[in-house]
Amino acid sequence: MTKEGQGRQAAGPAKDYAKYFDFSGAKVIAEEEGKTTYRINGRNVQISSPPDLREGKKRGKEEIRVHYDTGIGEDMKTFGAGRHYCIFTYGCQMNEHDTEIMRGLFEEMGYTATEDKARADVILINTCAVRENAEDKVFGELGHLKRLKLEKPDLVLGVCGCMSQEVSVVNRILQKHPHVDLIFGTHNIHRLPELLKEAHYGKEMVVEVWSKEGDIIENLPKKREGLRAWVNIMYGCDKFCTYCIVPYTRGKERSRVPEDVIAEVRELARQGFKEITLLGQNVNAYGKDFADRNYRFGDLMDDIRKIDIPRVRFTTSHPRDFDDRLIEVLAKGGNLVEHIHLPFQSGSSEVLKRMSRKYTREQFLSLVGRIRAAMPNAVLTSDIIVGFPGETEEQFEETIEVVREAGISMAYTFIYSPRAGTPAAEMEDNVPYEAKQRRLARLNEVIAEMSLASNQELAGQIVEVLVEGESKNNANVLSGRTRSNKLIHFEGPKSWIGQFAMVRVTQPQTWFIRAEAIGLAEEAVEWPKTAGGV
């Protein structure tokens, strides 16, 4: 058996993830205008477009159009008057940004936000499909909301986001959660007003999940809160790592044109936002899909560097697309922060091959070396998976070695769990769960050690902090983050919230840093330079 074939199960019949309905009791009630209405478990279900992972995997050469005329129809601008909405969000920053768009749409329809589920007229659960525990939380929440739906029959309960793009999830909702009224996916968020109207007036469960990603929709309203803003620069992912469902749920890579991104960042600067984070499933693939220009992520960052906004971050990167042009631009500093989130997932070249990450251990470490040569004060964080099918103890130890050699100061660590529809789900999950737990605990110990060492380097230094609010555990303590995303706690006046402060590091801890206040950054003529991690 070849090395890449190790750990695979014997070939069996291919799973048909395109098969959507298999309910003996399902009856077709009506078919019109591309919509089919079924009778399932005593309820009418209107299917406009079901999810289809096979369609989601296709990467055609269809032209991606950009739409700018995306306003809400006049008939919907008062639709939510006197009504309240509530959104629960699970998952990554992309999900958070999708929620900002949905909030904007709700409020343009006249709805008012509420965190009180009992008061809400519409409740949406914006879901993540990356981890199994996120899926479990969503179904648990749906179970809790069943009683509220029985008490308020007119409540519209919806599930959206990445989980909605999975056939198995939609089937489970149809079979076991018939109190759900609305299911829609990641590609048709802009259709929320029309879908809400159909669910409200039709009294049917409405399912519309586009498997093909569609076009880029600009000018959608967004309701942002706080000091920081998310800015989508691209959508989708073409990497198809064997464990990941995202390329199926988010579609192919498609970049927003730079003029639209830059205009949005400039507007955020005018609105007074202190920090922006550029978002994409793989931000450093930005521009690869442009046919009419040679303009990549490094070029975009170089242009945004000239905009008067204090801090600019980005997430998430793929090591394969992190090129030298980007390193050159990031090294210019300014408002481009020194924190780089660079998921490497495994330190074993053999495991990386089974993951289809398209780089080796040596190539990743070479990239880290080039980053550190250009940016000696760079703070690197990562994502790491343990217990991937076929991972040996020796291969896990290689991951520990890479954490140390690359100087990873923090990481999101996960035990591998299969996602239906991905190639890895067909591999034999042959690492015992006890071994996975042991490896995760060992990895987390090393990450804690690295985090403490990184924080201790700042002892006695003066650093700049964006003051975000009060500490969750002590109202007398302020909390904020440095340029390198380190969490700082210090005592200071509440009037500093929302501003930049200078503090002196007094007690570096493992996961946060205690400091003493010096003053607001804007009051200083020139602060002492620090060695790194500002």
Side-chain angles (χ1 to χ4, degrees):
M1 179 181 292
T2 61
K3 288 184 178 179
E4 60 263 48
Q6 289 177 354
R8 293 183 182 270
Q9 294 176 325
K15 291 186 179 181
D16 184 2
Y17 290 102
K19 189 173 184 179
Y20 187 63
F21 288 112
D22 189 19
F23 304 119
S24 56
K27 295 181 180 179
V28 176
I29 303 298
E31 292 181 281
E32 57 181 350
E33 298 179 355
K35 300 174 183 177
T36 303
T37 302
Y38 295 84
R39 187 73 175 174
I40 302 173
N41 292 334
R43 185 173 189 190
N44 288 358
V45 180
Q46 175 189 298
I47 307 293
S48 176
S49 179
D52 185 334
L53 290 187
R54 284 184 173 176
E55 280 296 309
K57 188 173 183 178
K58 292 179 181 177
R59 292 294 187 265
K61 294 184 178 180
E62 301 93 344
E63 180 183 359
I64 299 297
R65 295 177 298 170
V66 182
H67 299 271
Y68 296 94
D69 52 341
T70 54
I72 291 177
E74 289 297 324
D75 62 323
M76 293 297 294
K77 287 188 176 178
T78 58
F79 184 78
R83 296 173 179 162
H84 293 80
Y85 74 92
C86 178
I87 306 177
F88 295 97
T89 308
Y90 297 87
C92 67
Q93 294 94 335
M94 192 72 77
N95 295 72
E96 295 283 356
H97 185 59
D98 288 346
T99 290
E100 289 179 341
I101 293 173
M102 289 188 285
R103 285 184 185 138
L105 289 167
F106 270 117
E107 305 220 352
E108 284 210 356
M109 288 186 284
Y111 283 88
T112 302
T114 181
E115 295 182 3
D116 183 358
K117 291 182 283 188
R119 194 181 183 191
D121 298 283
V122 180
I123 297 177
L124 293 184
I125 304 179
N126 187 9
T127 62
C128 171
V130 174
R131 307 291 170 196
E132 189 173 10
N133 62 347
E135 187 171 304
D136 292 340
K137 288 179 183 178
V138 169
F139 282 114
E141 187 64 39
L142 286 178
H144 295 149
L145 289 170
K146 183 175 182 179
R147 176 174 294 181
L148 181 60
K149 177 69 174 179
L150 290 173
E151 294 172 357
K152 294 180 62 177
D154 290 336
L155 169 69
V156 174
L157 177 58
V159 178
C160 58
C162 291
M163 274 176 57
S164 301
Q165 299 284 158
E166 296 184 80
V167 179
S168 59
V169 168
V170 176
N171 273 326
R172 181 173 172 183
I173 293 174
L174 290 173
Q175 293 184 65
K176 297 186 177 181
H177 300 278
H179 55 289
V180 171
D181 300 288
L182 177 61
I183 304 172
F184 61 100
T186 60
H187 307 317
N188 54 336
I189 288 174
H190 62 287
R191 291 259 305 143
L192 176 60
E194 290 76 15
L195 298 174
L196 268 178
K197 183 165 65 173
E198 291 179 6
H200 182 78
Y201 288 127
K203 302 301 181 184
E204 300 171 332
M205 181 189 292
V206 176
V207 180
E208 181 177 296
V209 183
W210 296 351
S211 294
K212 297 298 286 182
E213 56 278 339
D215 298 333
I216 291 176
I217 313 296
E218 294 287 353
N219 295 338
L220 288 173
K222 303 176 184 71
K223 183 185 178 184
R224 293 179 165 109
E225 298 173 344
L227 314 168
R228 298 176 294 179
W230 313 110
V231 178
N232 254 118
I233 66 169
M234 64 180 302
Y235 304 90
C237 181
D238 287 348
K239 287 295 178 284
F240 285 100
C241 301
T242 57
Y243 55 82
C244 187
I245 197 71
V246 167
Y248 306 89
T249 62
R250 290 282 180 176
K252 72 179 181 181
E253 290 175 352
R254 52 210 192 279
S255 306
R256 294 176 65 194
V257 297
E259 293 85 354
D260 291 334
V261 175
I262 291 169
E264 183 173 353
V265 173
R266 283 180 174 151
E267 178 59 27
L268 292 171
R270 282 192 290 269
Q271 292 175 17
F273 281 92
K274 307 294 187 184
E275 178 178 303
I276 63 164
T277 301
L278 306 180
L279 292 181
Q281 260 65 46
N282 177 17
V283 288
N284 40 11
Y286 176 84
K288 289 177 68 176
D289 55 318
F290 289 147
D292 60 343
R293 66 184 83 194
N294 182 19
Y295 188 95
R296 295 290 304 278
F297 187 45
D299 302 310
L300 179 67
M301 291 294 279
D302 206 20
D303 285 338
I304 290 177
R305 185 178 61 85
K306 301 163 188 171
I307 298 175
D308 187 18
I309 200 160
R311 291 182 181 178
V312 178
R313 303 185 186 278
F314 60 92
T315 193
T316 283
S317 294
H318 192 295
R320 183 182 171 194
D321 291 322
F322 206 112
D323 58 30
D324 290 341
R325 165 64 173 156
L326 178 57
I327 295 174
E328 172 196 343
V329 172
L330 293 178
K332 295 178 181 179
N335 60 359
L336 306 184
V337 301
E338 296 77 35
H339 171 228
I340 298 174
H341 190 66
L342 193 60
F344 69 88
Q345 306 300 359
S346 173
S348 163
S349 293
E350 290 297 324
V351 174
L352 289 170
K353 187 175 183 179
R354 290 197 294 274
M355 289 179 168
S356 193
R357 291 288 287 174
K358 303 294 195 306
Y359 56 84
T360 65
R361 164 200 180 93
E362 291 75 22
Q363 288 170 330
F364 176 77
L365 290 173
S366 174
L367 170 62
V368 170
R370 297 197 304 276
I371 291 173
R372 294 212 178 278
M375 304 170 62
N377 60 344
V379 172
L380 301 184
T381 59
S382 195
D383 294 349
I384 305 170
I385 297 171
V386 302
F388 190 76
E391 182 189 66
T392 65
E393 287 293 338
E394 292 76 13
Q395 290 167 342
F396 168 70
E397 288 298 329
E398 289 185 276
T399 294
I400 297 293
E401 292 169 4
V402 168
V403 169
R404 294 188 185 281
E405 189 170 343
I408 302 299
S409 65
M410 194 283 290
Y412 298 105
T413 58
F414 307 94
I415 287 177
Y416 168 75
S417 61
R419 307 304 294 146
T422 63
E426 302 300 312
M427 300 178 187
E428 182 184 359
D429 192 5
N430 57 358
V431 181
Y433 189 69
E434 294 76 15
K436 293 179 182 180
Q437 289 180 307
R438 186 173 63 251
R439 292 174 192 177
L440 182 68
R442 168 89 192 289
L443 175 60
N444 286 339
E445 287 176 1
V446 174
I447 294 295
E449 174 190 329
M450 299 293 290
S451 177
L452 178 59
S454 176
N455 290 347
Q456 286 175 333
E457 291 178 2
L458 297 180
Q461 293 192 24
I462 294 174
V463 297
E464 178 193 81
V465 177
L466 176 55
V467 186
E468 299 175 3
E470 298 173 0
S471 166
K472 294 179 181 178
N473 300 319
N474 188 341
N476 295 320
V477 174
L478 297 179
S479 177
R481 291 190 179 270
T482 67
R483 286 171 58 92
S484 57
N485 212 34
K486 292 183 181 294
L487 181 61
I488 303 284
H489 287 173
F490 67 99
E491 293 185 6
K494 301 291 190 295
S495 60
W496 285 11
I497 294 174
Q499 301 185 69
F500 289 100
M502 306 305 294
V503 302
R504 179 178 286 105
V505 173
T506 56
Q507 291 180 284
Q509 308 288 311
T510 300
W511 304 120
F512 71 96
I513 294 171
R514 297 188 190 278
E516 60 183 11
I518 295 179
L520 289 176
E522 63 187 23
E523 296 173 355
V525 177
E526 184 176 354
W527 292 96
K529 302 295 183 183
T530 56
V534 176

